[in-house]
Amino acid sequence: MKLASCSGDRSIRVFKKKSNKSWVMQTALTDAHSKTVRRVSWNPRSTKLAASSFDGSVSIWEMSESEPSGFICAATLEGHENEVKGVSWDSSGSMVATSGRDKSVWVWTHEEETGEFECLSVLRGHSQDVKAVSWHPSRPVLFSASYDNTIREWQQSGDDWKCTAKLDTAHSSTVWDISPDFSGTRIASCSDDSTVVFWKRGAPFDVSDSEEACVWTAQKSIRGEGAFGGRPVYGVSWSHSPQNSHLIATAAGEDRKSTRLNSSHGKL
């Protein structure tokens, strides 16, 4: 079992779980990016790792026994005008989505045989930078979260992609992160407004939907001084295990003590 982290020190660090349930740092990947590495995402079907950076690029890493670090940078994805904020592999491991400060979401396809990446589509709809992207756990459905306080759902329509839902009724400030549950019919989102909102889709996934259709409803929320000390909530992750579907992890700016993996990047 491995865990990857990233940091403003421009590095990606890979940790390995030991038999005694403790974690040890396996390697530090430091030669791919010249600025902050914002997010990392493991390919669910292989050992590939994607990392997005403020230098405007995304690095794709593969495990390699011939490299001292254990990893080799197999590809670099370029196209965003500036900072790349989000990166996420789909459930098939054949597509990766990226998002950035240029207000766009890019969908890339990966050919396993050749190892090459090709941009399938550039999705535009958000009016501000896109902080995060996340895929449905089993369908080719993509979610994006933005500085414009909204969440969008995207689906493929023919040779292109279209926005099939716009979620804009719950957050009053930047949406930092989004995470679907194991079924993909519920989403958790977190925001600069110090809330975590839980959404439920009220209709089957259908590419004929349009962004005017109200298919998602904000059902519940965690908010207020008691939950996050009135501070922004930067990260949310919903367990994709049916047995642990009640477990959700959040990361906020309230500086509370918690059990965590010691950082090897320095100050977080």
Side-chain angles (χ1 to χ4, degrees):
M1 184 179 292
K2 297 182 185 296
L3 172 71
S5 64
C6 57
S7 170
D9 65 5
R10 306 184 298 279
S11 74
I12 304 157
R13 297 180 186 262
V14 179
F15 297 82
K16 184 176 182 180
K17 193 172 185 180
K18 298 172 66 175
S19 57
N20 61 359
K21 297 184 179 181
S22 63
W23 293 82
V24 60
M25 193 183 79
Q26 180 181 359
T27 189
L29 310 175
T30 60
D31 55 355
H33 296 290
S34 59
K35 294 184 179 180
T36 295
V37 182
R38 179 61 176 269
R39 286 183 185 265
V40 287
S41 175
W42 289 103
N43 186 313
R45 301 295 181 181
S46 71
T47 56
K48 292 183 177 65
L49 176 66
S52 61
S53 172
F54 282 8
D55 64 13
S57 70
V58 175
S59 58
I60 306 294
W61 299 84
E62 293 183 3
M63 293 184 65
S64 173
E65 295 182 357
S66 63
E67 294 294 318
S69 66
F71 286 83
I72 185 172
C73 186
T76 301
L77 310 185
E78 296 179 323
H80 285 279
E81 296 176 6
N82 38 44
E83 299 172 1
V84 186
K85 302 291 184 70
V87 63
S88 178
W89 289 95
D90 80 321
S91 60
S92 71
S94 62
M95 291 190 293
V96 62
T98 61
S99 64
R101 189 177 179 182
D102 58 8
K103 308 174 188 176
S104 70
V105 175
W106 292 48
V107 179
W108 308 78
T109 183
H110 174 236
E111 295 294 336
E112 187 67 37
E113 292 183 1
T114 63
E116 296 182 353
F117 288 81
E118 179 184 354
C119 179
L120 288 178
S121 187
V122 178
L123 316 181
R124 302 190 186 277
H126 287 290
S127 61
Q128 299 292 336
D129 60 325
V130 188
K131 301 294 187 182
V133 282
S134 184
W135 289 92
H136 185 284
S138 59
R139 292 173 174 266
V141 177
L142 180 63
F143 306 101
S144 58
S146 173
Y147 186 76
D148 65 13
N149 309 349
T150 72
I151 301 163
R152 288 178 181 260
E153 173 195 284
W154 308 85
Q155 295 189 54
Q156 192 166 15
S157 177
D159 294 332
D160 205 354
W161 289 67
K162 64 183 289 186
C163 179
T164 47
K166 181 181 178 182
L167 293 67
D168 60 357
T169 60
H171 289 298
S172 60
S173 191
T174 302
V175 185
W176 284 103
D177 203 6
I178 43 176
S179 179
D181 74 343
F182 76 95
S183 70
T185 59
R186 294 182 294 172
I187 299 174
S189 60
C190 62
S191 170
D192 209 62
D193 61 13
S194 190
T195 66
V196 173
V197 176
F198 300 93
W199 307 78
K200 184 174 178 60
R201 205 177 202 280
F205 286 95
D206 187 346
V207 78
S208 65
D209 291 340
S210 67
E211 65 178 77
E212 287 75 25
C214 185
V215 294
W216 289 91
T217 303
Q219 292 193 313
K220 298 180 180 180
S221 63
I222 302 173
R223 66 179 68 236
E225 294 287 335
F228 304 108
R231 303 296 295 277
V233 188
Y234 295 112
V236 62
S237 182
W238 204 324
S239 172
H240 281 184
S241 166
Q243 294 79 18
N244 296 315
S245 61
H246 60 290
L247 296 179
I248 299 170
T250 60
E254 82 278 24
D255 298 328
R256 293 184 181 180
K257 292 182 178 180
S258 61
T259 302
R260 67 187 69 181
L261 180 66
N262 290 331
S263 171
S264 299
H265 295 286
K267 185 177 180 181
L268 298 178

